[in-house]
Amino acid sequence: MTMIRDGADGACAPADDRHDHAAVAAVFRALADPARLTIVHALADGELRVTDLVTRVGLAQSTTSAHLAVLRESGLVSPRAQGRATFYRLTTSALLALVDRAEELLDDGLHAVVHTHEGGAP
């Protein structure tokens, strides 16, 4: 159970289960890399072998596997072994909805804010 400080005396109290901010932050950390988002988009149409993802993402097999490990550890993708190949799939379609909503934020003007911070001065 997640605990939060209630602010009055600094004591911890149980967090509302609907607002497990640590878990939500872990999901966002797992998605906080362009290569991992590319993998998520590649898996949108269904499961793919690691070798197919290597081709789509354009990274080395070891790098792609490392990104898949982050996504797998956060519960966003799951593997399925078939012979010597491993296929990956998204664990929920809600992940695509989340990424789509983030892209809507960019369309609504957040894009300028992101680029302002990346480049230093506006």
Side-chain angles (χ1 to χ4, degrees):
M1 175 181 292
T2 302
M3 303 295 279
I4 59 170
R5 297 209 181 273
D6 70 7
D9 61 1
C12 289
D16 182 345
D17 287 339
R18 294 179 313 125
H19 300 288
D20 187 344
H21 294 140
V24 172
V27 168
F28 283 116
R29 276 192 302 276
L31 295 172
D33 185 281
R36 290 195 287 271
L37 288 170
T38 301
I39 290 170
V40 167
H41 278 118
L43 294 172
D45 294 328
E47 67 179 14
L48 292 170
R49 297 176 305 160
V50 173
T51 55
D52 298 326
L53 287 167
V54 166
T55 301
R56 289 199 186 187
V57 177
L59 298 172
Q61 188 273 333
S62 60
T63 304
T64 301
S65 292
H67 285 301
L68 284 166
V70 171
L71 293 169
R72 186 179 64 245
E73 289 168 7
S74 64
L76 299 176
V77 300
S78 64
R80 178 179 65 83
Q82 182 175 335
R84 293 180 57 175
T86 301
F87 290 80
Y88 281 86
R89 67 174 178 82
L90 299 178
T91 57
T92 176
S93 61
L95 177 55
L96 293 173
L98 174 65
V99 173
D100 286 345
R101 293 302 300 256
E103 290 170 344
E104 287 177 22
L105 286 172
L106 296 176
D107 290 342
D108 288 345
L110 183 64
H111 193 265
V113 174
V114 171
H115 284 287
T116 299
H117 290 295
E118 285 180 0

